[in-house]
């Protein structure tokens, strides 16, 4: 088989370069309005098509010579016994999944050209789509957890930006914040998993981790998997993080298709498959994984039965299916999931892209709710309210994050800006705006910030800003005058002789 190490890295790089090119063109004003649609669509299509062609050729060669396996391009970081390599792992499953991702991304981009024609954010949309395409391919192809984490973060950023595509609408920005905050919790788990992998397995490369897992104590394998499981649950919108994904449908339909219907929602499942060897060493965690997957499947199924719009119905159905995949991973049926995953990607992409046409077809014919569910008033009401998961997420995640953000902003306005001499340009959020007052903090951190701000404000107001001999600057000036007078006196001969005599006395 030909050496693909010189070419395979172009698959995720081409869409990322397209995103950079579109971004630079927008910043320089060369691509805007309807006249800029054609070159933007052309570069996005060329990049996604090029990635698809490269992976498809690799797949055809693999039919005869086998999958490429691990392709190491070089070392990224090496410290002592720890190293992070720039490598891709293209076994049969990863290669099939990468081809599926590239195909869906290419078709979605081509579909979006006419769908978003003359939209104000046309260029912005294709920038985010190209960024996501490269990020998703990097997640699938990465040979190590740190390299996957780069794609993981890029996918999260592009997801946030596409949910808030219509940023003029408050509900779009609020739902984008919900997704952003929830996924940051998952990212923290991912980082912790990488740290534990280096500490207890000695490496974060997928193949090295699989070999070392069987020689590590079960408690360490369990802690590693708990960390990565948090990341997988948040990214794939599983219980208890399932509330954000139904709110993420504010973006255009093509972005819903590739992000939440078919591609990014499966990233958590793919992460679990990569960690198959570690999961099998943690039987307690497998039981937890099975239970969470089953609960999520039931949650998605019941909520999908009462939805009145097609996209929400598809989304909850997707949540139910990914829940079944998590349950299958918990039961150890990884081979089944490897077939289930790409097939479900294709099916959901077709459903979401077909959603606008389906809405016209079923217009005036609402989907009936099953009789058994209508007759169970409590369950029906719970499904309508999505089992109150949105309210719980807002109370435990979103509101505390907003409060902390307000406290940090107040500290920045009243302390940091004044220390560096900047004026307070932005109005304070949810604080007492009367003259001379410091914003009130919430919680221990907020109260501590408030106390520090009050102390620094008093110091600045009483010792620095006040003039007329009361301020610090005036005091320094007076001290300087006194020292100058002392120096003048000491320069006179009689005082100089007295000083010499005192010196001799002290020495003797």
């Amino acid at each position: 088989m030909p050496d693909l190490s010189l070419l395979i890295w172009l698959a995720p790089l081409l869409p990322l370069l397209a995103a950079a090119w579109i971004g630079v063109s927008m910043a320089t004003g060369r691509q805007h309005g309807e006249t800029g649609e054609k070159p933007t669509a052309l570069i996005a299509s060329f990049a996604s098509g090029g990635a698809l062609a490269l992976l498809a050729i690799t797949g055809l060669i693999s039919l005869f010579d086998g999958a490429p396996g691990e392709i190491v391009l070089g070392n990224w970081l090496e410290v002592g016994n720890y190293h992070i390599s720039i490598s891709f792992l293209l076994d049969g499953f990863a290669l099939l999944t990468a081809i599926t991702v590239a195909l869906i991304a290419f078709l979605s981009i081509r579909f979006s050209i006419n769908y978003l024609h003359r939209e104000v954010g046309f260029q912005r949309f294709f920038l985010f789509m190209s960024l996501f395409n490269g990020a998703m391919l990097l997640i699938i192809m990465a040979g190590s957890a740190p390299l996957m984490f780069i794609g993981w973060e890029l996918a999260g950023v592009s997801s946030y930006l596409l949910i808030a595509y219509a940023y003029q609408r408050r509900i779009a920005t609020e739902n984008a914040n919900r997704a952003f905050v929830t996924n940051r919790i998952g990212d923290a788990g991912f980082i912790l998993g990488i740290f534990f992998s280096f500490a207890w397995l000695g490496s974060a490369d997928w193949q090295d981790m699989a070999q070392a897992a069987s020689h590590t104590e079960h408690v360490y394998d369990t802690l590693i998997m708990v960390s990565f499981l948090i990341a997988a649950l948040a990214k794939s919108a599983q219980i208890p993080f399932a509330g954000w994904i139904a709110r993420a449908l504010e973006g255009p339909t093509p972005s819903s298709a590739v992000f939440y219907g078919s591609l990014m929602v499966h990233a958590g499942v793919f992460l679990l498959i990569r960690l198959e060897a570690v999961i099998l060493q943690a039987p307690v965690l497998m039981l937890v994984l099975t239970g969470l997957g089953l609960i999520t499947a039931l949650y998605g199924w019941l909520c999908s039965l009462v939805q009145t719009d097609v996209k929400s119905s598809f989304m909850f159905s997707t949540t139910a299916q990914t829940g079944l995949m998590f349950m299958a991973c918990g039961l150890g049926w990884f081979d089944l999931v490897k077939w289930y995953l790409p097939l479900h990607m294709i099916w959901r992409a077709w459903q979401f892209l077909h959603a606008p046409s389906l809405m016209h077809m079923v217009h005036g014919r609402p989907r009936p709710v099953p009789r058994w569910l209508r007759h169970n008033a409590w369950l029906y009401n719970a499904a309508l309210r999505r089992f109150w998961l949105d309210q719980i997420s807002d109370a435990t995640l979103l509101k505390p994050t907003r409060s902390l953000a307000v406290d940090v902003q107040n500290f920045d306005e009243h302390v940091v800006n004044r220390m560096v001499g900047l004026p307070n340009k932005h109005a304070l959020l949810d604080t007492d705006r009367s003259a001379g007052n410091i914003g009130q903090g919430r919680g221990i951190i907020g109260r501590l910030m408030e106390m520090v701000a009050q102390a620094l404000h008093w110091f600045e107001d009483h010792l620095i800003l006040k003039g007329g001999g009361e301020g610090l600057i005036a005091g320094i000036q007076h001290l300087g005058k006194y020292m100058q007078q002392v120096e003048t006196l000491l320069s006179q001969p009689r005082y100089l002789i007295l000083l010499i005599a005192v010196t001799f006395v002290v020495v003797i």
Side-chain angles (χ1 to χ4, degrees):
M1 179 177 180
D3 185 9
L4 297 175
S5 61
L6 299 178
L7 294 176
I8 200 64
W9 54 273
L10 287 173
L13 183 62
L14 283 176
L16 295 178
L17 290 177
W21 185 89
I22 296 172
V24 171
S25 299
M26 292 174 59
T28 56
R30 290 185 297 173
Q31 304 294 339
H32 58 86
E34 188 174 351
T35 57
E37 289 186 5
K38 186 174 181 180
T40 298
L42 182 63
I43 190 67
S45 300
F46 174 79
S48 59
L52 174 61
L54 180 60
L55 289 169
I57 293 173
T58 305
L60 289 175
I61 296 175
S62 299
L63 292 176
F64 303 97
D65 297 338
E70 187 177 24
I71 301 174
V72 180
L73 301 181
N75 284 335
W76 176 6
L77 179 66
E78 189 169 356
V79 179
N81 296 327
Y82 303 106
H83 74 278
I84 301 175
S85 62
I86 302 176
S87 62
F88 296 111
L89 182 57
L90 284 178
D91 51 17
F93 169 66
L95 184 57
L96 175 62
T97 307
I99 293 173
T100 305
V101 168
L103 175 62
I104 293 174
F106 175 73
L107 294 177
S108 299
I109 286 175
R110 296 301 302 171
F111 175 88
S112 303
I113 295 175
N114 291 330
Y115 188 85
L116 291 169
H117 178 51
R118 293 183 177 177
E119 285 284 339
V120 176
F122 185 93
Q123 285 79 11
R124 181 161 47 91
F125 175 84
F126 281 90
L127 188 158
F128 301 153
M129 284 287 285
S130 298
L131 181 65
F132 171 76
N133 187 12
M136 197 66 203
L137 288 175
L138 192 58
I139 290 174
I140 302 301
M141 297 171 58
S144 65
L147 191 59
M148 176 186 279
F149 184 70
I150 296 177
W152 197 272
E153 284 295 283
L154 290 176
V157 170
S158 54
S159 170
Y160 169 78
L161 294 173
L162 271 172
I163 297 172
Y165 174 80
Y167 57 87
Q168 302 88 348
R169 300 172 54 197
R170 182 178 178 181
I171 188 173
T173 56
E174 288 182 349
N175 289 343
N177 288 333
R178 283 188 176 92
F180 184 82
V181 171
T182 305
N183 279 279
R184 294 296 72 75
I185 297 174
D187 295 343
F190 203 118
I191 294 174
L192 197 60
I194 294 175
F195 172 77
F196 287 156
S197 298
F198 276 117
W200 296 325
L201 301 180
S203 175
D205 289 348
W206 299 129
Q207 291 186 333
D208 294 341
M209 291 172 63
Q211 295 175 1
S214 59
H215 306 292
T216 309
E217 294 185 17
H218 289 334
V219 63
Y220 293 153
D221 291 328
T222 302
L223 289 175
I224 291 171
M225 272 312 307
V226 166
S227 303
F228 281 117
L229 179 60
I230 294 173
L233 291 172
K235 188 68 76 173
S236 291
Q238 302 294 289
I239 297 293
F241 306 112
W244 70 267
I245 197 165
R247 300 280 186 174
L249 299 177
E250 290 296 326
T253 294
S255 65
S256 299
V258 297
F259 276 84
Y260 317 112
S262 59
L263 298 186
M264 197 180 79
V265 72
H266 295 96
V269 181
F270 186 85
L271 177 60
L272 295 181
I273 293 174
R274 275 285 180 247
L275 294 166
E276 174 183 354
V278 184
I279 293 176
L280 294 175
Q281 301 300 320
V284 175
L285 189 70
M286 293 180 68
L287 182 62
V288 174
L289 186 58
T290 302
L292 290 176
L294 178 60
I295 294 172
T296 304
L298 292 174
Y299 162 81
W301 173 59
L302 289 171
C303 290
S304 68
L305 296 176
V306 298
Q307 299 306 307
T308 57
D309 64 282
V310 63
K311 287 177 66 174
S312 294
S313 178
F314 286 161
M315 192 66 262
F316 279 107
S317 180
T318 300
T319 301
Q321 296 299 318
T322 52
L324 292 176
M325 294 181 201
F326 271 72
M327 185 179 69
C329 289
L331 294 172
W333 300 342
F334 288 96
D335 290 337
L336 174 63
V337 178
K338 290 178 182 179
W339 285 103
Y340 192 3
L341 182 66
L343 291 175
H344 188 251
M345 283 182 173
I346 296 172
W347 170 246
R348 289 303 175 190
W350 180 85
Q351 277 192 324
F352 270 89
L353 293 178
H354 186 64
S357 299
L358 182 62
M359 291 172 63
H360 290 287
M361 293 171 57
V362 300
H363 180 69
R365 292 179 293 169
R367 178 185 179 182
V369 179
R371 181 179 299 177
W372 62 268
L373 184 58
R374 292 200 310 268
H375 291 170
N376 191 329
W378 182 90
L379 187 60
Y380 181 62
N381 182 56
L384 281 176
R385 296 178 179 271
R386 301 174 180 180
F387 292 88
W388 299 276
L389 202 58
D390 293 344
Q391 291 81 353
I392 295 173
S393 299
D394 287 348
T396 57
L397 299 177
L398 193 61
K399 290 182 179 179
T401 303
R402 284 178 174 173
S403 299
L404 180 61
V406 170
D407 292 337
V408 172
Q409 183 181 10
N410 292 342
F411 185 81
D412 182 68
E413 290 283 351
H414 287 286
V415 178
V416 178
N417 283 358
R418 290 188 174 186
M419 289 179 65
V420 300
L422 295 176
N424 295 337
K425 296 181 179 179
H426 302 287
L428 300 178
L429 299 178
D430 194 24
T431 61
D432 184 3
R433 305 187 184 190
S434 60
N437 288 339
I438 300 296
Q440 293 183 348
R442 284 177 285 274
I444 297 177
I445 297 178
R447 293 296 181 184
L448 180 61
M449 288 183 176
E450 181 184 349
M451 292 172 60
V452 174
Q454 291 284 3
L456 292 176
H457 177 71
W458 181 91
F459 176 80
E460 180 185 57
D461 187 53
H462 288 77
L463 298 179
I464 296 179
L465 298 180
K466 287 188 176 180
E470 297 177 6
L472 181 62
I473 296 177
I476 294 175
Q477 291 176 348
H478 285 302
L479 181 61
K481 292 180 181 179
Y482 294 145
M483 295 301 296
Q484 188 176 7
Q485 293 176 5
V486 172
E487 183 181 9
T488 302
L489 291 174
L490 290 177
S491 64
Q492 296 181 13
R494 60 180 181 272
Y495 291 106
L496 182 59
I497 294 173
L498 178 62
L499 181 62
I500 294 173
V502 172
T503 303
F504 273 110
V505 172
V506 173
V507 172
I508 293 173

